[in-house]
Amino acid sequence: MYHIVASDLDGTLLQTDHTFSPFAKDTLKLISKSGVNFIFATGRHHIDVGQIRDGLGIDSFMITSNGARVHNAQGELIFSHNLAPELAYDLYHIVDRNPKIETHVYRNDDWFTNRESEDLKNFHKESDFSYRLFEPDTLATDGVCKVFFTCRDHDELLALETVIKARWGDRVNVSFSLAYCLEVMGGGVSKGHALDDVAKILGYGLKDCITFGDGMNDVEMLKMAGKGCIMQNAHQRLKDTLPELEVIGSNVDDAVMHYLRKMYL
């Protein structure tokens, strides 16, 4: 029995339209009431996740921006890790001449993007969180927990991943949350390291955690936990990276919810 459940959202708990099924909502409420410590562990912004959590009516720690922010069950910020300001500034500009790639910034309580993004609007059906447009030369560089890039051409982002890693090395953690979304956080920031901190606060260790995910930004969390479960719909790169882990069903079949009901209910 695991005392802590930590799960990604998109591609894991949420349906392909980025909403919870009624079955998923009921399961999360039942799990929380049963005394299991449920934790959201996602690349999403904390304002977005807070609205989702409040909509469900459950108490839960929130690991957001891939571990760059952690809030407790009362919504209080307990951990914060920002990108170095000079690094954030360079990331604002790294693809500003590439019309295929959109640049996004999570800074403090806000989400900024350099272009209108109809695709990402569809992600926020369980909240009303939205972006504001910004100019790379005028946006402040303090309080930046994550810069991410979206593009429908995966090869464009693969090339960008190589450039960023070569330029900054261990000063950043670079990972794909989706095939068309490349995320950049400060070095050493990950869902797994944040989960380690939260588990200790709750009086447990990583061995007491079971985790679920579908993206490369879930690697540390899946690998470090007592048990990690990969979604059937996960990118093949994740399955190849962690071949020893169990692959469960798909998000469209509410595989995590069925797994949790069997384990706890």
Side-chain angles (χ1 to χ4, degrees):
M1 183 67 68
Y2 298 95
H3 296 283
I4 295 173
V5 175
S7 180
D8 177 49
L9 279 168
D10 298 289
T12 303
L13 294 186
L14 297 174
Q15 298 289 298
T16 53
D17 65 353
H18 307 288
T19 64
F20 288 108
S21 71
F23 180 75
K25 290 182 178 180
D26 288 343
T27 303
L28 290 176
K29 291 175 183 177
L30 288 170
I31 290 296
S32 296
K33 288 179 181 178
S34 73
V36 176
N37 295 289
F38 181 83
I39 299 170
F40 292 106
T42 173
R44 289 186 180 228
H45 193 283
H46 66 272
I47 297 292
D48 183 15
V49 183
Q51 292 175 355
I52 291 172
R53 182 185 66 176
D54 292 346
L56 290 168
I58 63 175
D59 293 329
S60 172
F61 273 74
M62 302 185 303
I63 295 171
T64 59
S65 295
N66 298 317
R69 295 285 186 276
V70 176
H71 290 75
N72 64 17
Q74 290 72 47
E76 300 165 333
L77 179 67
I78 55 175
F79 294 114
S80 177
H81 303 284
N82 295 324
L83 284 159
E86 70 276 8
L87 199 155
Y89 180 85
D90 287 345
L91 287 169
Y92 291 178
H93 294 81
I94 196 167
V95 292
D96 58 0
R97 293 192 178 127
N98 188 330
K100 294 182 180 180
I101 303 178
E102 296 171 354
T103 301
H104 306 262
V105 179
Y106 282 175
R107 178 178 177 269
N108 296 326
D109 290 344
D110 298 305
W111 167 23
F112 298 94
T113 182
N114 64 337
R115 287 197 292 276
E116 292 287 346
S117 181
E118 290 301 319
D119 285 342
L120 286 181
K121 283 182 179 179
N122 295 325
F123 272 70
H124 300 89
K125 295 180 179 179
E126 295 285 353
S127 73
D128 60 7
F129 188 58
S130 189
Y131 59 77
R132 291 192 282 157
L133 294 176
F134 82 102
E135 293 291 336
D137 285 326
T138 59
L139 182 63
T141 56
D142 63 311
V144 175
C145 59
K146 184 177 82 168
V147 177
F148 62 108
F149 306 93
T150 56
C151 179
R152 284 297 170 180
D153 186 342
H154 183 60
D155 289 339
E156 289 273 351
L157 293 180
L158 282 173
L160 179 59
E161 179 187 29
T162 299
V163 169
I164 292 173
K165 286 183 175 180
R167 183 168 180 179
W168 288 295
D170 292 340
R171 293 189 68 196
V172 295
N173 183 1
V174 188
S175 61
F176 281 92
S177 56
L178 298 163
Y180 53 87
C181 186
L182 181 68
E183 319 214 351
V184 185
M185 293 72 59
V189 172
S190 76
K191 295 182 185 181
H193 292 90
L195 179 59
D196 187 21
D197 291 332
V198 173
K200 290 174 182 173
I201 290 173
L202 294 173
Y204 299 104
L206 285 169
K207 64 179 175 56
D208 301 305
C209 303
I210 183 170
T211 58
F212 301 87
D214 73 307
M216 290 302 293
N217 60 330
D218 297 313
V219 166
E220 294 90 349
M221 176 177 75
L222 293 168
K223 182 169 60 176
M224 294 166 66
K227 183 174 180 61
C229 298
I230 298 175
M231 304 303 294
Q232 185 181 65
N233 50 284
H235 195 283
Q236 189 60 43
R237 183 174 172 182
L238 178 64
K239 296 175 182 177
D240 292 343
T241 300
L242 301 171
E244 72 280 8
L245 297 189
E246 179 182 3
V247 177
I248 64 171
S250 170
N251 65 318
V252 298
D253 299 321
D254 276 328
V256 174
M257 304 307 167
H258 288 288
Y259 202 104
L260 293 178
R261 280 181 180 256
K262 185 176 180 180
M263 179 174 286
Y264 296 107
L265 303 177

